Amino acid sequence: MIFLNRWKEWFIEKEWRMTLLVAFVITIMTLMLFSPFLGYNDIMNAADVLTQYQYAIGWAQRVATGHEELSLWYQGEHLGGPGGTIGHAIYLQPQRILLYLLLPLNLIVIYDVIFFLIFGGISAYLYMRIIGIGRFSSFFSALIFIYSTEHISLINAGHMLKIDTIMVFPLVMLFFEKGFQEKKLFYFLMAGFALGFQFLQHHWQISYYTCLTVALYFFGRAYFVYREGRDWKLVGRLWLYSAVMVVVFFGIASLNFLSINQWAKQSERGDGMSYRDATSWSEPPEELLAYFNPYYFGISRPNYKDPGKIDVFYWGRMPFTQTGDYLGII
């Protein structure tokens, strides 16, 4: 009875009713956007999905359905690899277990991305709201974030896990900012869990960028908190709360560290890379033009798709690219 009363109070609040409406609209829009990929016999035609990710998803599905035991060695593409390196501890992610139990293998990948796009959109909307942005502007900002060319075009390259990782970023910032506003440890703990959840999506480069962003955000917010009240004791408490957040994050991320270290001995990148190789996909300055004309430098490789379906192949300085950069949503 108490639960029902609290639910009623929560739903009556206009802010939460609007949030539910936004969540519904984003869900419908995302399903409509991806409707061509939702056929029962369809599969994503993206290189990394077909050659790598699909093996890992199949293994995880067999584990979730009890057809295979969770082992330290995952039998996948090539000779396999340590179990923890396939991308996530599935027992900490109920949404993926649900997908594995309900959907055929070929649809799990695309519905996983759909879930995280909706998740990222709702989180982005809530973050914009708590920093004082109006409802329509927050909604539009969420759409720009999840449907931006930079993010959506990652599907063409098969970088689904990168999309998933990026979509957790607003949740991290939501809890982190809420912690500064409320000055409560709970929100910093939740930010730590969000950082850990992001790390488990298996694109550690994005997690690294997120950690840099959180660090810069902390120094900026701590400075303004100090300016508001000249209270060093309060700032010290925020430092302590943030330290707890980092401990929680590393505690969750450590689930993968042992496997990562084991895998590094077999990976072609385990012995390090040359500066040239490591920076080969850094964006050349002239390609900033692509933010205004997304196909100026072309996209994709000549051997990737039917040449008749590609107007201009990529001719820039990177080895190749299958993603597009563009400022805006149109």
Side-chain angles (χ1 to χ4, degrees), residues 24 48 117 161:
F24 176 76
D48 281 11
L117 286 170
L161 294 175

Side-chain angles (χ1 to χ4, degrees), residues 283-291 296-297 314-318:
E283 186 160 76
E286 65 271 16
E287 295 207 18
L288 291 176
L289 291 172
Y291 286 97
Y296 180 77
F297 288 93
Y314 178 72
W315 54 271
R317 283 196 282 165
M318 293 187 286

Side-chain angles (χ1 to χ4, degrees), residues 113-126:
V113 171
I114 290 173
F115 168 82
F116 275 97
L117 286 170
I118 296 170
F119 183 85
I122 297 171
S123 301
Y125 171 81
L126 291 174

Side-chain angles (χ1 to χ4, degrees), residues 49-269:
V49 168
L50 297 178
T51 60
Q52 299 171 3
Y53 192 28
Q54 204 72 21
Y55 289 101
I57 290 294
W59 177 84
Q61 186 184 47
R62 292 192 297 275
V63 170
T65 55
H67 290 90
E68 187 170 325
E69 293 184 358
L70 187 64
S71 61
L72 296 177
W73 191 265
Y74 135 72
Q75 300 291 337
E77 75 280 5
H78 310 308
L79 298 177
T85 62
I86 68 166
H88 45 266
I90 60 173
Y91 42 84
L92 290 179
Q93 301 193 63
Q95 86 284 351
R96 282 211 168 100
I97 294 178
L98 192 63
L99 290 177
Y100 300 153
L101 293 176
L102 297 179
L103 296 176
L105 181 61
N106 59 302
L107 290 182
I108 289 174
V109 175
I110 190 61
Y111 272 97
D112 177 75
V113 171
I114 290 173
F115 168 82
F116 275 97
L117 286 170
I118 296 170
F119 183 85
I122 297 171
S123 301
Y125 171 81
L126 291 174
Y127 171 72
M128 298 300 288
R129 288 297 293 145
I130 69 167
I131 63 173
I133 307 300
R135 291 192 181 94
F136 177 78
S137 297
S138 297
F139 172 64
F140 194 67
S141 298
L143 296 185
I144 292 174
F145 175 71
I146 63 176
Y147 296 148
S148 68
T149 312
E150 174 67 24
H151 297 159
I152 291 295
S153 64
L154 290 169
I155 293 174
N156 182 50
H159 294 172
M160 310 309 206
L161 294 175
K162 189 173 184 180
I163 298 174
D164 294 355
T165 310
I166 291 171
M167 290 301 125
V168 183
F169 175 72
L171 185 70
V172 175
M173 302 309 296
L174 170 64
F175 284 125
F176 199 45
E177 171 60 28
K178 193 68 174 176
F180 278 100
Q181 291 183 7
E182 301 292 336
K183 316 294 191 300
K184 293 180 179 179
L185 176 61
F186 170 78
Y187 293 107
F188 287 90
L189 287 173
M190 294 304 296
F193 280 113
L195 283 166
F197 181 68
Q198 185 191 48
F199 187 87
L200 293 180
Q201 306 317 313
H202 197 54
H203 204 289
W204 305 311
Q205 182 182 10
I206 300 301
S207 292
Y208 173 70
Y209 294 152
T210 300
C211 290
L212 291 178
T213 303
V214 167
L216 292 173
Y217 198 88
F218 169 80
F219 287 116
R221 287 296 276 117
Y223 170 73
F224 285 110
V225 168
Y226 171 73
R227 278 189 57 181
E228 288 173 4
R230 305 286 175 176
D231 188 346
W232 280 108
K233 185 176 180 180
L234 174 59
V235 173
R237 194 165 83 240
L238 293 175
W239 272 89
L240 178 62
Y241 291 169
S242 296
V244 173
M245 175 190 72
V246 172
V247 171
V248 171
F249 163 57
F250 277 111
I252 297 174
S254 65
L255 293 169
N256 283 140
F257 282 156
L258 182 62
S259 295
I260 293 169
N261 291 332
Q262 184 181 1
W263 181 245
K265 300 174 183 178
Q266 304 172 47
S267 171
E268 62 183 8
R269 302 178 183 180

